[in-house]
Amino acid sequence: MQAITTTNLTKRFESLTAVDRVSFEVMQGEIFGLLGPNGAGKTTIIKMLSTLMAPTEGDAAVWGFSIGSARDDVRRSIGMVFQDPAVDDSLTGWENLDFHARMYGMKKDLRTARISEVLALVGLEDKAGLLLKKYSGGMKRRLEIARGLMHYPRVLFLDEPTLGLDPQTRHHIWEYIKMLNQKEHVTVILTTHYMEEADSLCSRIGIIDHGKILVIDTPEALKNAMGNDILTIKAENLEHLMSELAAEPWVQEVKRYDDRLLVSARLGEEKIPVAVETARRIGTVIQAISMRKPTLEDVFLHYTGKTIRDEEDAEGEVPRGRMRKRRGPH
Amino acid sequence: MKQWFNIQVIYALWLREMKRYLRARSRIFGSLGMPFFFLLFLGTGFKNFRPESMPAHIDYLNFLAPGMLAVVLQFGSMFTGMAILWDRQFGFLKEIMVAPVSRVAIVLGRTLGGVTTALLQGFLFIAVALFAGLKLSGFAGFLLTPLFMIFIAGSFVNLGLAIASMMRDMQGFSIVMNFIMVPLLLLSGAMFPIEQFPVWVQWLSYVNPLFYGVDGLRYSLIGMSKFPPFFDAAVLFLFCSGMVGLGAFLFSRSDVD
């Protein structure tokens, strides 16, 4: 059964097509990840699926409800954790959850019981009475995840759940997400531009760039499709070496990236001397050579021709939500 | 839109507003400062200001106090519009907008919260004004005060909501609000009788809804008014309803961020 189905979902802003005829399905119980650089259209997709923004074209169904014609049913079925903090700093953790529960029409007994339950899930029981302005970034994030689960949603949306958190907190959040997926039987759809996050958390990944989904598969299948090993070669005469290597029978694929060649091959460690020999034959000097297993970064490079880092540099100041210059008391 | 009058949602929004208000001490006392100083210093400085249209038994401070109360309500109501902008800037508006509730319920909840805080501010001001020398004309009249206070606050809370729905930045919001509110205030007769104006300017006062608010408050507090209080109340009620409609309409059409 599908938790989410989109058909040709499209969003255009004046001259920019932020989301371009995107069709995909998320199965019930999955942790599905949209992986792409900032500005790829991930957040726009999430906003459309959560009814915060109407699509220009196309349609989508969340838990069987159309985002166009059954908005309140969609809203009741989903929990949201936004990219930027969306909590009230001058309320306590408990009050933030209580506000949420009332907005979703939960009765008092259920409200109180559920607040304790979700606070325990994210390990914030002893911080419930603290004002949110006293919370750390990671605590706020956990509270928002707890809040997203308050009203027993079927689908939980997480937009860049670990953006701006330190590595240790990030790993904790991953553990929470995995655990919630199991315990609460909630389907999770998240966006991220962290390869590691997509790799370790998601059952399936859709790679998205310039508003289009390029490929969808499990992280393992995506990496396996890249061939077995990847040799990174730094040498003097790259062009010549590249054409020479491309002709070798053991080379599955060779790509130039900056001042390096990326060569995919089976049994990579045995191919290192072969590559060195090839270079010697054409009279060029290899400066460095290394071998590794393919990562999602290679998958991304394969489908988009760029690394995710490059994309973000090229996009420059892509608005990642709003920048927070001012904080604090209202 | 179904369930537009969702009492639990309205209550949740109202409760949030109350908690925020009671936790912001600087706002409670800070925003009373300006009108209080005006009352005290203008009341003293213009003690001998006696235009013909002012009854002889009323001194300037007592004439000014209901006008300053209107100022407290008018500017106190601006906070609701500000709160919308804060919520939008700090992302909380999305949390509200993604919930399965009607936009009208959200507007009603915010209006109720804004009116309550403005009322609390208003009563605090009356308390300090009594201390400064305000003499109430009678208890029966005083009972009418909350009615006028609610209509004035309700009107300006929704004016703020309407303008905040169309704007993104705080500075712009304050400038636009002041651009609208200051002329309304100066034409309302809050600080001096409008008979001081040339006749054509007086007509501007008569189309100014705040004029009827000040007139009504003056009746309730010091027992003097140009129009019967019921007429003042009726005009204000119409204006307030119009503003609620405008606020609800523009807010429901506004973007989330």
Side-chain angles (χ1 to χ4, degrees), chain A residues 223-230 245-255 262-267 271 294 302:
Chain A
K223 286 185 286 187
N224 288 340
M226 291 298 100
N228 287 348
D229 296 326
I230 291 180
L245 283 174
E248 295 272 339
W250 55 271
V251 172
Q252 290 177 332
E253 193 187 14
V254 55
K255 273 196 169 182
L262 299 185
V263 181
S264 33
R266 232 171 276 283
L267 300 172
K271 300 304 185 302
H302 174 80

Side-chain angles (χ1 to χ4, degrees), chain B residues 152-216:
Chain B
I152 295 175
S155 306
F156 286 99
V157 162
N158 277 284
L159 178 68
L161 259 166
I163 290 171
S165 302
M166 296 187 292
M167 302 203 63
R168 290 290 167 274
D169 63 313
M170 306 264 168
Q171 286 86 353
F173 175 77
S174 312
I175 291 169
V176 172
M177 284 303 273
N178 282 322
F179 186 80
I180 298 173
M181 305 226 290
V182 171
L184 288 184
L185 172 66
L186 293 174
L187 285 169
S188 72
M191 307 210 227
F192 46 82
I194 58 162
E195 284 77 8
Q196 298 294 105
F197 286 129
V199 174
W200 69 271
V201 183
Q202 288 183 33
W203 278 104
L204 289 179
S205 293
Y206 290 134
V207 295
N208 171 10
L210 191 59
F211 168 80
Y212 300 92
V214 171
D215 199 49

Side-chain angles (χ1 to χ4, degrees), chain B residues 27 31 70-81 114-115 117-118 121 153 156-157 181:
Chain B
R27 171 180 156 192
S31 55
V71 174
V72 170
L73 295 168
Q74 203 192 9
F75 285 86
S77 305
M78 254 178 78
F79 275 105
T80 308
V115 169
T117 52
Q121 290 290 105
F156 286 99
V157 162
M181 305 226 290

Side-chain angles (χ1 to χ4, degrees), chain A residues 3-248:
Chain A
I4 295 175
T5 319
T6 79
T7 31
N8 291 324
L9 200 61
T10 302
K11 183 71 189 182
R12 274 190 284 276
F13 300 105
E14 282 158 40
S15 61
L16 174 86
T17 304
V19 176
D20 194 0
R21 295 188 302 275
V22 160
S23 301
F24 65 93
E25 288 178 345
V26 178
M27 298 298 153
Q28 292 187 8
E30 260 195 304
I31 302 185
F32 183 86
L34 285 171
L35 174 69
N38 293 327
K42 293 169 294 175
T43 299
T44 310
I45 291 179
I46 297 289
K47 276 189 180 158
M48 288 191 282
L49 291 179
S50 59
T51 73
L52 283 176
M53 192 184 263
T56 317
E57 270 165 42
D59 195 12
V62 178
W63 213 256
F65 301 115
S66 159
I67 57 166
S69 56
R71 294 179 11 161
D72 276 354
D73 291 313
V74 172
R75 288 172 180 171
R76 257 186 286 277
S77 315
I78 61 171
M80 281 295 292
V81 178
F82 300 100
Q83 185 167 331
D84 305 300
V87 289
D88 189 334
D89 269 353
S90 46
L91 298 183
T92 66
W94 196 91
E95 287 167 341
N96 264 287
L97 296 179
D98 187 60
F99 175 82
H100 182 89
R102 287 175 195 269
M103 293 295 277
Y104 284 77
M106 293 169 76
K107 297 270 178 294
K108 190 175 195 310
D109 291 345
L110 180 62
R111 224 159 54 210
T112 326
R114 183 63 172 164
I115 290 176
S116 315
E117 206 171 284
V118 294
L119 280 173
L121 273 177
V122 298
L124 283 174
E125 305 100 309
D126 51 339
K127 301 282 191 270
L130 206 59
L131 288 182
L132 259 285
K133 56 182 93 165
K134 304 259 163 64
Y135 275 42
S136 69
M139 283 160 63
K140 272 189 192 166
R141 218 359 67 124
R142 269 147 65 199
L143 187 84
E144 290 191 289
I145 294 175
R147 185 180 64 185
L149 291 167
M150 266 305 287
H151 55 283
Y152 304 95
R154 308 294 195 157
V155 184
L156 182 65
F157 289 84
L158 303 164
D159 195 3
E160 299 276 4
T162 64
L163 188 72
L165 299 179
D166 62 78
Q168 201 190 353
T169 313
R170 176 171 301 157
H171 281 275
H172 275 133
I173 300 280
W174 292 349
E175 291 314 309
Y176 284 122
I177 295 173
K178 279 185 203 167
M179 183 258 298
L180 300 170
N181 176 242
Q182 296 293 317
K183 270 200 185 166
E184 296 271 323
H185 307 291
V186 65
T187 307
V188 176
I189 171 165
L190 62 89
T191 73
T192 185
H193 65 285
Y194 298 122
M195 299 289 169
E196 206 194 342
E197 184 159 289
D199 205 353
S200 75
L201 202 52
C202 299
S203 47
R204 285 193 313 142
I205 296 172
I207 291 187
I208 177 167
D209 193 30
H210 297 299
K212 285 193 164 108
I213 292 196
L214 304 171
V215 63
I216 299 178
D217 216 326
T218 64
E220 286 67 36
L222 287 171
K223 286 185 286 187
N224 288 340
M226 291 298 100
N228 287 348
D229 296 326
I230 291 180
L231 299 182
T232 309
I233 301 173
K234 236 178 132 175
E236 273 171 0
N237 194 343
L238 273 189
E239 286 305 321
H240 194 181
L241 183 60
M242 185 170 167
S243 58
E244 204 65 28
L245 283 174
E248 295 272 339

Side-chain angles (χ1 to χ4, degrees), chain A residues 47 50 52 71-72 75-76 78 80 82 84-88 90-92 95-96 99-100 102-106 111 131 147 322 324 326-330, chain B residues 2 6 8-9 11-13 15-16 19-20 23-24 26-27 86-92 94-103 106 170-171 256-257:
Chain A
K47 276 189 180 158
S50 59
L52 283 176
R71 294 179 11 161
D72 276 354
R75 288 172 180 171
R76 257 186 286 277
I78 61 171
M80 281 295 292
F82 300 100
D84 305 300
V87 289
D88 189 334
S90 46
L91 298 183
T92 66
E95 287 167 341
N96 264 287
F99 175 82
H100 182 89
R102 287 175 195 269
M103 293 295 277
Y104 284 77
M106 293 169 76
R111 224 159 54 210
L131 288 182
R147 185 180 64 185
R322 289 132 294 149
R324 293 286 161 67
R326 278 174 300 177
R327 285 239 73 113
H330 305 187
Chain B
K2 64 192 153 179
N6 183 330
Q8 200 183 12
V9 168
Y11 178 71
L13 287 158
L15 189 65
R16 169 175 180 242
K19 284 177 175 163
R20 291 170 61 90
R23 281 169 198 176
S26 57
R27 171 180 156 192
W86 275 111
D87 276 355
R88 186 181 282 135
Q89 186 159 4
F90 287 91
F92 198 73
K94 280 187 286 197
E95 150 76 0
I96 296 174
M97 295 299 234
V98 84
V101 297
S102 84
R103 300 288 180 262
I106 295 174
M170 306 264 168
Q171 286 86 353
V256 174
D257 62 0

